[in-house]
Amino acid sequence: CIHAQYSAVVPTGHKLPSPLIMSPGPIYAVDGDQAINQSIIYSIIAGNTDGTFIINAHDGNLTMTKSIPSPMKFTLLIRADQEDMAQYSVTQAIVEARSVTGNPLQFSQSLYYGTVVLGSEAGTAVKDKTFPSEILRIQAQYPGFPDLNSAVTYRVTNSSEFMMNKDIMLTAVPMEEARTIRVEVEASNTVTKDTATAVVEIQVSERELPSTAPTSRTSTSLMTTSSRSDSTQTPKPGTSQPMVPIPGASTSSQPATPSGSSPQTPKPGTSQSTATGPISGAGEQGDGQRFSTVDMAVLGGVLGALLLLALICLVILVHKHYRHRLACCSGKA
């Protein structure tokens, strides 16, 4: 057998019509002799009190034959035989019967938000308004009873414009008017006969056109191709800084960016430089990030004067402390 032990939880007072949902998976055995690979025959050899369960001899599915009146635990020994009965394996399946009281059927949320595009035909699935690319799923469950969750059915109670297909809501008529509709969904369990309700607020609106305006995304890779020759970096909001060409993104003679690198869009409010290559128009006064030609000339003059003064001081110090040695060395030379 694949697993040494299986487990399942069933409700007391109710007989489940479908096979039990086992954990960590269905009861399954394989023939270790791959060359022979005979069929497997399953049977219960111990622990089946009052014949409460029956196992399918061919697929290993456990099914209830009667309801269990009170909480109790069954430890079933399952035997898997080769078809020729030459070899077998034994595993354990623990089935616990619990009371459903205190674990009512309930939706994950009382109010769901969906969206439908205006003009949608009948049979269109309602999308999740929070994640428009995903289908809205409306699910009611019993906490801790996976077998009961599989017996839940759904229906729309107050509208003929929508219908349920399992836990997915579909349009029953074309959506021809932009509006907001509140639809009530009822979940009922075919085994326990319990019910629960939730409200779905559906917004019927026109499809949004893709925005052509530049965004302030902080992604590290806004463009991964250089096929366009008009690619530019986005300036910081609120500044009058000119648009700076991205090196390598145009057909000009500017140096190209290294392979694999891509320009970054600056975050709003930061003062980082918006270019990674040569900047055109460096002689213009910018937003505090560039210096004019006059400023650079003044700075160069000051640095040159300081360097000359340092050299004069060095010559004076050398002459004062080492003039005798220098005179002696020059005489010998």
Side-chain angles (χ1 to χ4, degrees):
C1 288
I2 302 302
H3 299 286
Q5 182 172 297
Y6 300 84
S7 62
V9 178
V10 297
T12 58
H14 303 285
K15 176 188 172 183
L16 297 175
S18 56
L20 273 58
I21 299 177
M22 309 300 295
S23 177
I27 298 174
Y28 182 65
V30 294
D31 186 358
D33 300 321
Q34 296 183 2
I36 302 175
N37 195 23
Q38 291 194 7
S39 300
I40 305 298
I41 299 175
Y42 301 91
S43 59
I44 303 175
I45 60 176
N48 192 13
T49 306
D50 297 331
T52 307
F53 302 96
I54 187 173
I55 191 168
N56 188 301
H58 301 288
D59 58 25
N61 285 331
L62 276 175
T63 308
M64 297 180 67
T65 60
K66 61 180 71 176
S67 62
I68 304 172
S70 59
M72 61 183 301
K73 183 182 292 186
F74 297 81
T75 302
L76 306 176
L77 291 181
I78 310 297
R79 176 167 169 158
D81 286 274
Q82 286 185 187
E83 191 174 17
D84 59 2
M85 298 298 177
Q87 295 183 5
Y88 69 92
S89 178
V90 176
T91 189
Q92 194 177 65
I94 298 177
V95 182
E96 185 177 358
R98 300 177 186 172
S99 175
V100 185
T101 305
N103 295 278
L105 178 66
Q106 56 186 4
F107 284 94
S108 58
Q109 55 195 74
S110 59
L111 179 60
Y112 294 82
Y113 294 93
T115 179
V116 177
V117 176
L118 183 64
S120 297
E121 299 294 331
T124 302
V126 176
K127 297 295 186 68
D128 193 328
K129 189 175 181 180
T130 306
F131 303 99
S133 61
E134 299 180 4
I135 296 176
L136 178 64
R137 293 188 177 273
I138 308 165
Q139 296 178 335
Q141 297 180 342
Y142 285 95
F145 290 90
D147 290 278
L148 287 178
N149 296 336
S150 61
V152 177
T153 59
Y154 304 90
R155 69 185 185 95
V156 176
T157 60
N158 67 336
S159 175
S160 59
E161 297 178 295
F162 296 90
M163 59 184 178
M164 297 298 298
N165 181 11
K166 297 183 179 179
D167 60 350
I168 298 176
M169 180 174 288
L170 305 176
T171 57
V173 297
M175 297 288 104
E176 300 176 347
E177 181 183 353
R179 55 197 170 118
T180 299
I181 310 170
R182 292 176 72 91
V183 180
E184 184 180 80
V185 177
E186 180 186 77
S188 60
N189 190 283
T190 57
V191 176
T192 64
K193 308 304 179 184
D194 293 337
T195 60
T197 58
V199 175
V200 184
E201 186 175 282
I202 304 170
Q203 182 177 358
V204 182
S205 58
E206 295 183 1
R207 185 188 300 273
E208 295 183 1
L209 296 176
S211 176
T212 57
T215 61
S216 59
R217 291 174 55 195
T218 57
S219 172
T220 58
S221 178
L222 294 183
M223 276 195 175
T224 57
T225 175
S226 60
S227 59
R228 293 183 57 188
S229 62
D230 59 346
S231 302
T232 56
Q233 290 180 317
T234 306
K236 298 187 297 179
T239 63
S240 59
Q241 174 183 333
M243 301 295 284
V244 181
I246 302 176
S250 64
T251 56
S252 65
S253 60
Q254 293 181 356
T257 54
S259 175
S261 63
S262 58
Q264 289 185 338
T265 302
K267 298 180 181 179
T270 60
S271 59
Q272 65 182 14
S273 175
T274 58
T276 58
I279 300 176
S280 61
E284 299 177 1
Q285 185 68 25
D287 57 351
Q289 294 179 332
R290 300 188 180 90
F291 296 95
S292 66
T293 306
V294 177
D295 294 334
M296 299 300 293
V298 172
L299 179 61
V302 173
L303 293 177
L306 291 175
L307 179 61
L308 179 61
L309 182 60
L311 290 175
I312 294 173
C313 293
L314 180 61
V315 171
I316 294 174
L317 290 175
V318 171
H319 183 268
K320 181 178 179 180
H321 293 281
Y322 300 99
R323 65 178 181 273
H324 299 293
R325 293 184 181 181
L326 290 174
C328 179
C329 293
S330 61
K332 290 181 179 181

